[in-house]
Amino acid sequence: MKRVLVTGAGGFIGHHLVSYLKKKSYWVRGADLKYPEYEPTAADDFALLDLRRWEDCLQATDGIDEVYALAADMGGMGFISAHHAEILRNNSLINIHTLDAARENGVKRYLYASSACVYPEYRQTDANVTALKEEDAYPAHPQDAYGWEKLVTERLCTHYLEDYGLETRIVRFHNIFGPLGTWDGGREKAPAALCRKVSLAKHSGSFEIEIWGDGEQTRSFCYIDDCVDGIYRLMRSNHREPLNLGQDRLVTINQLADMVAKIAGIKLARKHIPGPQGVRGRNSDNTRLREVLRWEPQISLEEGLRRTYLWIDSQVRAAERGALKSVPNRSSVGRPVSVS
Ligand code: NAD
């Protein structure tokens, strides 16, 4: 039985990936600073480790055949645009140490979770943006330290393949969303934040939410089940270059808010306030994804949002009843929506 490590297994994508790999009968070790928050892990072994530390990375990769490297200090636009030094330091340490420990321990395959945030700011100045192809990452000019670190680790993975023969795979996620992800506390991203705010607006009767900027900034959003399926397909493929993984349907944040409100069965007023918005527009060009994997994400935005809203609405109502440890602050009704 193949032994795999998922780092960041206490987080959103890592937790889903562990469940997916268990269904495929892998032996799975999860590693993270914390356990998953919303349901128990399906991992055979779960190690609480700080992967900024070399010794912890050696322990995590011991006896492992394949690594899915998802651990990162990250969040939505509000977090990413306000913690440059912390993000660059922590994520550099995590990625250099995890990759090198994998080499030291003779790991065969290594998938690195990169991001659409590597793409240069100058290609994303228009809401009606041209979808981004993998080669558009250069000449490099990511907007934030988060994107610079992702780009450098992509290079590191490529050189570990060339110099040490470690079979690295690099995936660039475009806004992944779904149930069992962070929905409160400041690190949540636009779809989760909108679901929480719409739920709170509905239950409080305020029917108004705040959005940073004019809400005409655009993104594409990919549902978590497609994400873990795509990760696995890439790991099994022979494709050694970075690959986009996302949907290629562009929507504005205002449209996203209206879709969630429709699912909740309410009409919303949007209050636009100043705040960080990230790049003006970003979309995934999926030409290479289709070529390489002979597959593309299947789940519609409406269906993904419906599943996500139902889960977050149940969390909000449980928190209001005091059934959850973390009770959302009522003032978070008005916390702005961010994208990264
Ligand atoms: P997440 O924040 O839910 O999960 C990341 C996990 O990494 C967290 O559980 C965190 O505790 C863990 N971590 C942080 N520092 C650590 C450390 N020092 N040691 C061990 N664990 C540590 O984020 P996610 O949405 O699941 O993202 C997973 C990966 O995908 C990340 O690398 C992220 O940068 C990348 N990504 C995600 C998206 C998205 O839309 N969610 C988009 C682009 C890229």
Side-chain angles (χ1 to χ4, degrees):
M1 195 190 281
K2 221 173 240 172
R3 293 167 67 93
V4 301
L5 167 69
V6 177
T7 76
F12 168 50
I13 302 174
H15 175 65
H16 282 275
L17 183 62
V18 167
S19 305
Y20 179 93
L21 292 168
K22 278 311 299 168
K23 284 192 192 127
K24 292 211 171 286
S25 299
Y26 284 84
W27 184 93
V28 182
R29 176 180 296 147
D32 202 300
L33 290 169
K34 62 176 177 69
Y35 291 109
E37 283 172 50
Y38 308 109
E39 68 175 20
T41 181
D44 299 281
D45 177 28
F46 196 101
L48 286 180
L49 296 169
D50 183 345
L51 298 172
R52 289 171 300 183
R53 302 200 317 223
W54 163 249
E55 301 75 26
D56 288 30
C57 292
L58 274 182
Q59 189 183 325
T61 52
D62 185 33
I64 291 294
D65 301 306
E66 298 185 350
V67 173
Y68 293 85
L70 273 67
D73 191 3
M74 60 98 62
M77 200 58 229
F79 179 78
I80 284 175
S81 63
H83 298 86
H84 291 288
E86 177 189 322
I87 286 173
L88 187 49
R89 181 193 63 230
N90 288 344
N91 293 337
S92 300
L93 288 169
I94 290 169
N95 288 317
I96 291 171
H97 286 152
T98 309
L99 187 57
D100 201 53
R103 178 197 57 78
E104 179 82 17
N105 276 326
V107 165
K108 302 284 181 301
R109 269 178 196 243
Y110 189 103
L111 182 137
Y112 172 58
S114 185
S115 167
C117 289
V118 300
Y119 288 110
E121 206 171 351
Y122 60 80
R123 291 195 198 276
Q124 304 172 83
T125 53
D126 188 352
N128 193 16
V129 65
T130 304
L132 293 157
K133 290 184 170 47
E134 284 77 359
E135 56 269 29
D136 291 338
Y138 297 94
H141 194 237
Q143 189 178 59
D144 293 298
Y146 174 74
W148 279 107
E149 189 282 327
K150 292 284 186 199
L151 207 53
V152 170
T153 301
E154 288 190 1
R155 304 299 307 169
L156 199 63
C157 287
T158 302
H159 295 311
Y160 267 59
L161 171 66
E162 292 163 353
D163 294 0
Y164 304 123
L166 174 51
E167 282 290 340
T168 49
R169 302 288 179 266
I170 300 163
V171 60
R172 291 181 184 156
F173 296 141
H174 288 250
N175 297 306
I176 312 303
F177 74 99
L180 307 176
T182 303
W183 55 275
D184 195 22
R187 287 187 185 237
E188 66 279 13
K189 297 186 160 197
L194 281 172
C195 289
R196 182 200 70 233
K197 287 149 64 79
V198 168
S199 171
L200 286 166
K202 178 177 177 173
H203 298 304
S204 69
S206 74
F207 300 109
E208 180 178 89
I209 63 168
E210 288 185 347
I211 293 181
W212 280 332
D214 63 4
E216 292 301 308
Q217 60 271 38
T218 52
R219 296 291 186 279
S220 65
F221 297 93
C222 177
Y223 189 65
I224 183 67
D225 290 8
D226 281 329
C227 172
V228 292
D229 206 2
I231 290 173
Y232 183 71
R233 288 167 188 266
L234 176 59
M235 183 65 127
R236 300 267 61 85
S237 81
N238 291 323
H239 189 71
R240 293 162 154 185
E241 306 296 323
L243 192 68
N244 284 333
L245 177 48
Q247 286 277 9
D248 53 7
R249 174 178 170 196
L250 201 61
V251 294
T252 67
I253 297 302
N254 288 334
Q255 287 169 334
L256 198 65
D258 290 347
M259 289 167 90
V260 178
K262 191 173 170 197
I263 291 163
I266 60 170
K267 277 215 174 321
L268 266 187
R270 298 189 300 259
K271 188 176 170 193
H272 296 281
I273 60 165
Q277 298 163 54
V279 294
R280 188 63 176 160
R282 174 180 292 152
N283 197 6
S284 175
D285 184 313
N286 284 351
T287 311
R288 192 157 305 149
L289 178 77
R290 285 188 286 267
E291 274 168 21
V292 168
L293 302 185
R294 300 188 186 286
W295 169 90
E296 63 187 314
Q298 307 287 310
I299 297 164
S300 71
L301 182 56
E302 286 81 357
E303 176 58 17
L305 281 177
R306 189 187 68 76
R307 296 182 200 175
T308 308
Y309 179 77
L310 289 179
W311 179 75
I312 291 180
D313 187 50
S314 72
Q315 292 286 301
V316 168
R317 280 184 286 128
E320 286 184 330
R321 287 195 310 272
L324 288 183
K325 272 182 274 167
S326 95
V327 179
N329 188 335
R330 295 297 301 192
S331 68
S332 64
V333 173
R335 188 182 302 132
V337 168
S338 67
V339 288
S340 69

